[in-house]
Amino acid sequence: MNDLLTMHEGFPFSPQTRIAEAITAEAVSITVNDPSVFPEAPNEATLGTDDRGETILYTTKVGNVLGGITRGYDAKNGFGRAKAWDTGTPIACYFTNSKQVIMQENIRRVHKEARTAVDHTAETVANENGAHGIRWNPETLTHQIFNPILEEYVDISRDEPPLPPPQGWVTYGVQIDLNNSNPYTSVTYINDAIGMVSGSSMWDDAPIFKDIRPCVLKNGVRQYYLNPNNFAEKEDGSPANITGDDGDVMIEFPKMAIKIETKEDIIIVQITNDEYAEDRGFKYNAHTRNNQGDRDNVYIGAYESLTVDDKLRSLSGHASEADASSAIFRTRARANGSGYDMLAFYQQVMLQTLYLIRYKNLDSQGAAGRGHVQGGSAVQSLTGALDQAGMFVGSTSTNNQSVKIFGIENLWGGRRTFIDGLRIDSARHITTAFINFNSTGVGYFDLGLGADHNIGGFLTRVQGDTDRGFLPLSDGGSATTHFADFGSLSDGSRFMTMGGDWISTTSAGIFTTNLSSGATGVGGRLMFL
């Protein structure tokens, strides 16, 4: 049985011990008095004994120290968030909500695979002449078997509903209620996302998400995968060169199709790995150059970029830069060879969609981390400061810690980032491209009017379709309502920057979009497609 989520074992009667030292809300290790009451790592433990408690996920257990901890692991609706705990706080291995959800999901997957296996087997069953067997009738939504006496297919009688048609793909989705200003409760899971826990490690093993992997790429060729928990190591644990000689540190995103649609006051956002998704109105925009879905993978720089020998690079251990225009950054990116560009619009839409599915929250700073946004220097530290922090890290309580999601450092905060492949013309028309990006919009597709007036404020609504993604449509919100991010769209020849920067405080985030005619302090991010 493949694709089952990792289940953490329990401990009989859940005996308690206590923490030996006080911890902060950001602590990633806990010293306990009696480590024998905890199963081996990875597993979960709960601090406190009532509805003000906190569940953690620990990935190491050495002596009496639980390490590699994910804080607020079971947080939901304001309960279970990471916070400081005093010496002597009770801690134990309880049966948690996340264990329940994972168990239910595995049962669902086993049931689904068993039913699919029956269906696949049935379709290969033939009668003694090898001519007929069992088939699925999509018109009657039933399985049928060939009756040699009647010489026709007849419905199979069964006590349970008919099996679904065989499928080896998944569709994850969220539904956004635009009339609900709460960034969290306005978003609900649909399709195969039902039963998943938002922001949890359950997604690490889910189709599509499990194939998002860090790697080293050189001349458009993947050299090797990296350890997702320590980019300084190859996947097998041997040392990796992530400072230049072996290539650029990139995140590999597998081919996926996206569908975004607005129905009155509801936005429906979906992703799928269905190879025939176009028949259902999905598009492979993020994996397209010349024809829809003509690329199997897209690679996005793990770090804010720098220039080495006039080439835009994604390397660990360097200071990122913002010394040039978007046109110059574009030229430097392409100097790496065919297929290289700056991060572009449809790849940004892909990242926004993946974020929405995993976190089920419009407030990215509140869900994944505030980022480095409180001021000071744009370069908080050299690139790669989070190399050993896993694929996801961030603090929702401080404004001076960089954020990392899907292995990408400073997707918001730090520096604003140029986004290529999108231009707003003098009439506020949105134009986009898949290839041959340029500063004048030559060869771009005109997607129509973006807005009939200039927009500049916290977003309440976005364009909300597959081709225009989450570009601004209306403002008037705040840092704690609706999309909780700042957006601008105005007339004139405009280019796109995203994410917010080191002084954005509450206006930074995954949906923060600035469409302006000029910008300073903006950097780039490498892409290969």
Side-chain angles (χ1 to χ4, degrees), residues 5 18 29 76 97 141 249 280 320 505 514:
L5 304 177
R18 296 182 182 273
S29 65
K76 187 173 184 180
N97 175 68
L141 300 180
V249 182
R280 299 192 286 138
S320 63
T505 59
N514 288 280

Side-chain angles (χ1 to χ4, degrees), residues 365-366 368-373 394-399 401 403 412 505-506 508:
Q365 285 188 297
R370 305 199 61 78
H372 170 42
V373 294
S395 171
T396 59
S397 60
T398 179
N399 289 334
Q401 179 178 324
V403 69
W412 58 86
T505 59
T506 59

Side-chain angles (χ1 to χ4, degrees), residues 7-232:
M7 298 177 67
H8 301 139
E9 66 177 306
F11 199 101
F13 305 107
S14 301
Q16 285 186 0
T17 186
R18 296 182 182 273
I19 64 175
E21 300 173 356
I23 60 171
T24 65
E26 291 75 37
V28 294
S29 65
I30 296 176
T31 303
V32 298
N33 290 336
D34 182 5
S36 68
V37 301
F38 298 99
E40 292 304 311
N43 215 302
E44 300 167 39
T46 300
L47 291 152
T49 57
D50 56 20
D51 59 4
R52 292 169 293 180
E54 175 192 352
T55 296
I56 63 162
L57 172 70
Y58 59 91
T59 57
T60 63
K61 178 187 170 189
V62 180
N64 63 340
V65 177
L66 306 179
I69 288 175
T70 299
R71 301 295 301 275
Y73 184 67
D74 220 5
K76 187 173 184 180
N77 293 345
F79 295 98
R81 292 187 175 181
K83 60 183 179 181
W85 292 95
D86 294 329
T87 301
T89 297
I91 184 171
C93 178
Y94 294 117
F95 185 76
T96 61
N97 175 68
S98 60
K99 289 183 178 180
Q100 169 80 8
V101 170
I102 290 173
M103 180 176 66
Q104 290 174 325
E105 173 60 14
N106 280 342
I107 292 172
R108 186 187 71 82
R109 293 187 182 191
V110 170
H111 179 63
K112 181 177 180 180
E113 181 163 314
R115 288 166 66 85
T116 302
V118 169
D119 192 44
H120 278 268
T121 302
E123 291 188 333
T124 63
V125 173
N127 68 359
E128 58 185 2
N129 297 319
H132 302 287
I134 296 176
R135 72 178 187 183
W136 168 258
N137 187 329
E139 295 181 358
T140 61
L141 300 180
T142 59
H143 284 80
Q144 298 178 323
I145 190 168
F146 185 76
N147 187 317
I149 298 177
L150 299 177
E151 294 188 340
E152 64 181 17
Y153 282 95
V154 296
D155 289 349
I156 299 174
S157 176
R158 54 179 76 239
D159 295 330
E160 59 180 317
L163 296 172
Q167 63 184 48
W169 44 265
V170 295
T171 299
Y172 298 118
V174 294
Q175 182 172 283
I176 304 169
D177 181 0
L178 297 174
N179 289 322
N180 182 350
S181 64
N182 185 306
Y184 178 76
T185 61
S186 63
V187 188
T188 55
Y189 276 143
I190 60 175
N191 307 123
D192 292 318
I194 295 174
M196 298 294 280
V197 177
S198 60
S200 77
S201 60
M202 287 179 65
W203 287 103
D204 295 343
D205 299 317
I208 300 176
F209 291 86
K210 68 180 181 179
D211 294 320
I212 299 173
R213 306 172 68 184
C215 66
V216 170
L217 192 77
K218 188 173 186 178
N219 298 324
V221 178
R222 185 181 64 243
Q223 303 300 297
Y224 46 80
Y225 286 115
L226 298 172
N227 177 350
N229 296 312
N230 184 357
F231 286 10

Side-chain angles (χ1 to χ4, degrees), residues 341-414:
D341 271 301
M342 284 195 302
L343 178 62
F345 174 63
Y346 285 121
Q347 289 70 36
Q348 171 64 7
V349 172
M350 176 192 72
L351 294 175
Q352 292 168 323
T353 300
L354 288 167
Y355 161 80
L356 267 178
I357 301 298
R358 183 179 179 110
Y359 286 94
K360 194 174 71 68
N361 194 329
L362 299 181
D363 181 5
S364 56
Q365 285 188 297
R370 305 199 61 78
H372 170 42
V373 294
Q374 78 169 14
S377 170
V379 182
Q380 184 185 30
S381 58
L382 299 181
T383 58
L386 303 177
D387 278 344
Q388 298 182 41
M391 296 286 280
F392 299 86
V393 65
S395 171
T396 59
S397 60
T398 179
N399 289 334
N400 62 359
Q401 179 178 324
S402 295
V403 69
K404 182 180 183 182
I405 68 170
F406 303 113
I408 300 175
E409 281 187 3
N410 289 325
L411 196 55
W412 58 86

Side-chain angles (χ1 to χ4, degrees), residues 419-498:
I419 299 295
D420 221 341
L422 177 134
R423 181 176 177 273
I424 306 299
D425 67 15
S426 59
R428 300 190 197 88
H429 277 228
I430 297 171
T431 66
T432 63
F434 297 104
I435 197 170
N436 298 326
F437 305 140
N438 58 79
S439 299
T440 59
V442 174
Y444 281 38
F445 299 98
D446 189 336
L447 302 180
L449 186 67
D452 59 7
H453 63 284
N454 290 343
I455 296 171
F458 282 94
L459 300 174
T460 56
R461 295 190 179 232
V462 294
Q463 298 292 324
D465 62 46
T466 306
D467 290 327
R468 296 188 292 183
F470 304 96
L471 290 174
L473 181 61
S474 65
D475 55 18
S478 72
T480 58
T481 61
H482 298 288
F483 287 83
D485 283 340
F486 182 91
S488 67
L489 189 156
S490 54
D491 52 1
S493 178
R494 309 287 173 171
F495 56 80
M496 179 179 176
T497 67
M498 57 76 59

Side-chain angles (χ1 to χ4, degrees), residues 162-344:
L163 296 172
Q167 63 184 48
W169 44 265
V170 295
T171 299
Y172 298 118
V174 294
Q175 182 172 283
I176 304 169
D177 181 0
L178 297 174
N179 289 322
N180 182 350
S181 64
N182 185 306
Y184 178 76
T185 61
S186 63
V187 188
T188 55
Y189 276 143
I190 60 175
N191 307 123
D192 292 318
I194 295 174
M196 298 294 280
V197 177
S198 60
S200 77
S201 60
M202 287 179 65
W203 287 103
D204 295 343
D205 299 317
I208 300 176
F209 291 86
K210 68 180 181 179
D211 294 320
I212 299 173
R213 306 172 68 184
C215 66
V216 170
L217 192 77
K218 188 173 186 178
N219 298 324
V221 178
R222 185 181 64 243
Q223 303 300 297
Y224 46 80
Y225 286 115
L226 298 172
N227 177 350
N229 296 312
N230 184 357
F231 286 10
E233 297 178 351
K234 297 179 182 179
E235 189 177 35
D236 62 7
S238 60
N241 186 320
I242 56 176
T243 59
D245 290 344
D246 283 5
D248 293 286
V249 182
M250 309 289 278
I251 307 300
E252 180 183 88
F253 290 85
K255 187 174 180 179
M256 67 191 78
I258 293 173
K259 184 178 181 181
I260 305 171
E261 55 185 334
T262 302
K263 297 182 178 180
E264 297 182 349
D265 294 323
I266 299 294
I267 299 179
I268 300 171
V269 182
Q270 300 174 88
I271 58 171
T272 184
N273 56 357
D274 176 13
E275 61 180 315
Y276 302 110
E278 290 178 90
D279 296 338
R280 299 192 286 138
F282 286 73
K283 291 185 177 180
Y284 295 97
N285 285 348
H287 291 75
T288 294
R289 280 297 197 187
N290 299 297
N291 301 294
Q292 269 288 314
D294 59 3
R295 297 293 188 271
D296 290 330
N297 297 295
V298 60
Y299 297 85
I300 297 175
Y303 313 116
E304 296 169 305
S305 65
L306 69 147
T307 301
V308 178
D309 296 330
D310 295 324
K311 295 179 180 180
L312 204 66
R313 303 296 303 274
S314 177
L315 305 175
S316 182
H318 296 267
S320 63
E321 61 185 6
D323 66 340
S325 66
S326 60
I328 292 176
F329 276 128
R330 182 187 302 123
T331 299
R332 293 173 179 175
R334 291 176 175 173
N336 287 287
S338 177
Y340 283 92
D341 271 301
M342 284 195 302
L343 178 62

